[in-house]
Amino acid sequence: MMLSGTVIVDAGTVLDDGCVVVEGSHIEAVGPREELLDRYPNHERRAYDLLMPGLVGAHVHSVQSLGRGIADDLELLDWLFEYVLPMEASLSAEEMEVAAKLGYLEMIESGTTTCIDHLSVNHADRAFEAAGELGIRGVLGKVLMDQRSPAGLLEGADEGLAESERLIERYHGAFDDRIRYAVTPRFAVSCTEECLRGARELADAHEGVRIHTHASENRSEIATVEGETGLRNIHWLDEVGLTGEDVVLAHCVHTDESEREVLAETGTHVTHCPSSNMKLASGIAPIEDYRERGINVAIGNDGPPCNNTLDPFTEMRQGSLLQKVDRLDPVAASASQLFEMATINGARAAGFEELGALREGWRADIVGLTTDLTRATPLHDPLSHLVYGAHGDDVVLSMVDGRVLLEDGELTTADADAIREDAREVVLSLDEHREAADRVRP
Ligand SMILES: [Zn+2]
């Protein structure tokens, strides 16, 4: 297949009249359209306004999709313990599948082709199967919670780690290696030392398995961990083995100098979630500082209850603007830096090689957008448009491993109308679960 248009190869390279040739699951060639038309005269041709690498959502909660709008404008602990966790606890296996499908549908529709997905404690199989069916690439993990957790989510460390191992054996490398596993403690507050150390042991026992958790999102979390362990949160995670090149930490909003040194020295990846940090008033993650230290910073939408969309273009824009305001410096966090966070940096965090740019021999994860929009006129600078002006709705093509998942804006791998209809029905039945779960706040 031959895709032509303005090609964003990576943050530093734009081909105005370019072309990407896809063979099987990989990119066969990238270059000027005229030249490749001669070299590949018999390939099926498709034209787009803009082509770019598929975006990487490096911290999302697909299974929270049914909680969109249930907990706006609330204090974090109310948000978490009275709404989000009870919602997760209440979901049946069927509802979890609906939630996951809704999340993957929204991601595929809006240009995210790879996600690092923090699932829930229960029914993780349904999300793995949904990701496989819809065709997205992802690093997914069942959540571990063995203390300070509401009924329905609290699970012993041994039990949670054993279930994680079963899922690793079943799904790590599944669906032609599009799906991989991350051992996923919720955060240090809800996990014992035994659980956190066990997470490291489990990841070490299986090649390519990553570790993904939340870290230093808000001050009360840090105070709780410090009160219990005597250590700052990142030092505690480092102590129990949860730092390193295979570890992705979401947020890292509140870190001190010594914690930042640990992140840099260990090669730990950080996922910045600007919309979530703003909506929950968590603070501003110092991502410019992280970047200057050589820490790999990716970007993610977090979950629908704290965002409320999974549109990755919004996140690039917010991420840039927030740093500029924080530093009172309009030069900070440029469009190309944010684009790198959402592509190549995200691919590095997820651990997929040859992903995050449109290069010969790399994986054919490609997104196409329309720019036939008032909002995109005139189009002086395609990269500027993608970061500051584009919306997920502009996406018309999503491809993973050379397989078209979205064509003319329509999902090809499942019935999108049916997914939305199923989701509407589940939301209607959530109220009674929520009422019952409200009582379990610690
Ligand atoms: Zn999160």
Side-chain angles (χ1 to χ4, degrees):
M1 193 185 301
M2 193 173 223
L3 312 174
S4 63
T6 298
V7 177
I8 317 291
V9 175
D10 55 35
T13 317
V14 177
L15 304 173
D16 286 335
D17 188 11
C19 186
V20 184
V21 180
V22 175
E23 281 278 359
S25 63
H26 285 75
I27 295 169
E28 172 77 12
V30 182
R33 187 171 61 92
E34 286 301 323
E35 190 184 310
L36 293 183
L37 281 176
D38 289 344
R39 265 169 62 195
Y40 300 93
N42 299 320
H43 278 58
E44 179 195 343
R45 294 174 192 177
R46 298 187 190 187
Y48 298 91
D49 294 338
L50 268 183
L51 293 162
M52 61 181 275
L55 296 171
V56 181
H59 176 66
V60 296
H61 299 258
S62 65
V63 300
Q64 290 181 1
S65 292
L66 298 176
R68 192 192 321 272
I70 64 168
D72 296 325
D73 313 321
L74 291 170
E75 289 290 338
L76 178 86
L77 290 180
D78 292 340
W79 176 86
L80 186 65
F81 283 105
E82 292 186 19
Y83 292 89
V84 174
L85 295 181
M87 177 200 65
E88 282 190 22
S90 73
L91 293 177
S92 67
E94 290 72 26
E95 290 165 340
M96 197 68 81
E97 179 178 329
V98 171
K101 282 185 176 173
L102 188 69
Y104 299 133
L105 170 63
E106 188 181 357
M107 287 185 244
I108 292 166
E109 283 181 339
S110 57
T112 295
T113 53
T114 297
C115 61
I116 302 178
D117 194 359
H118 193 110
L119 302 176
S120 188
V121 173
N122 307 312
H123 316 306
D125 294 73
R126 296 300 186 109
F128 280 93
E129 293 292 337
E133 181 186 340
L134 267 66
I136 197 166
R137 185 186 302 284
V139 182
L140 283 56
K142 163 215 158 47
V143 170
L144 301 169
M145 298 176 81
D146 73 331
Q147 67 176 3
R148 288 198 198 88
S149 304
L153 295 178
L154 185 69
E155 179 182 60
D158 286 349
E159 203 182 330
L161 290 164
E163 172 68 357
S164 301
E165 183 147 44
R166 183 187 71 77
L167 290 163
I168 289 170
E169 276 155 14
R170 183 156 181 191
Y171 292 111
H172 182 55
F175 304 105
D176 298 322
D177 199 28
R178 279 186 283 106
I179 299 300
R180 295 183 185 173
Y181 199 87
V183 185
T184 308
R186 182 146 224 138
F187 63 152
V189 171
S190 66
C191 295
T192 62
E193 178 174 356
E194 178 197 359
C195 178
L196 297 174
R197 289 190 187 277
R200 165 47 73 196
E201 280 173 28
L202 185 58
D204 283 349
H206 299 272
E207 195 182 342
V209 166
R210 293 183 105 65
I211 293 171
H212 179 43
T213 190
H214 297 99
S216 307
E217 180 178 1
N218 72 78
R219 292 204 166 94
S220 66
E221 165 202 356
I222 292 164
T224 301
V225 172
E226 197 160 8
E228 195 158 280
T229 68
L231 295 174
R232 293 275 298 178
N233 194 34
I234 300 296
H235 289 298
W236 172 240
L237 293 177
D238 190 47
E239 168 71 25
V240 297
L242 300 195
T243 52
E245 291 175 6
D246 58 354
V247 177
V248 183
L249 300 181
H251 302 304
C252 296
V253 174
H254 302 287
T255 54
D256 68 17
E257 175 67 26
S258 65
E259 291 178 291
R260 295 175 195 185
E261 282 171 14
V262 169
L263 293 173
E265 281 165 14
T266 56
T268 305
H269 308 272
V270 172
T271 299
H272 180 41
C273 304
S275 296
S276 167
N277 294 163
M278 284 191 273
K279 188 157 182 266
L280 289 169
S282 301
I284 303 176
I287 62 163
E288 279 284 277
D289 179 87
Y290 291 160
R291 197 179 56 76
E292 285 157 12
R293 292 168 191 264
I295 297 168
N296 183 47
V297 181
I299 198 162
N301 286 79
D302 213 348
C306 64
N307 189 308
N308 295 4
T309 85
L310 299 180
D311 183 334
F313 295 92
T314 308
E315 231 49 38
M316 286 194 281
R317 176 183 160 92
Q318 308 275 47
S320 172
L321 302 191
L322 194 54
Q323 290 301 300
K324 292 179 193 303
V325 162
D326 188 40
R327 293 209 159 193
L328 295 178
D329 178 7
V331 176
S334 67
S336 66
Q337 284 164 11
L338 266 293
F339 190 78
E340 284 189 338
M341 285 169 59
T343 53
I344 196 88
N345 294 9
R348 274 181 66 199
F352 282 97
E353 305 285 328
E354 301 180 334
L355 184 74
L358 301 182
R359 302 215 169 96
E360 273 183 30
W362 283 33
R363 299 168 199 269
D365 288 18
I366 305 171
V367 163
L369 297 94
T370 178
T371 56
D372 187 17
L373 304 160
T374 309
R375 175 160 44 74
T377 308
L379 192 62
H380 290 305
D381 179 343
L383 198 73
S384 156
H385 169 66
L386 290 173
V387 173
Y388 297 126
H391 294 176
D393 285 351
D394 306 350
V395 171
V396 292
L397 167 80
S398 283
M399 173 186 282
V400 171
D401 269 349
R403 180 183 181 205
V404 174
L405 309 182
L406 188 85
E407 189 166 31
D408 299 328
E410 293 291 327
L411 189 74
T412 63
T413 49
D415 182 345
D417 287 331
I419 292 171
R420 285 187 288 265
E421 194 51 44
D422 288 348
R424 285 183 198 109
E425 284 176 15
V426 174
V427 170
L428 292 175
S429 71
L430 268 176
D431 285 349
E432 64 182 279
H433 297 298
R434 201 168 67 195
E435 204 173 294
D438 269 352
R439 299 185 207 109
V440 304
R441 178 169 172 173

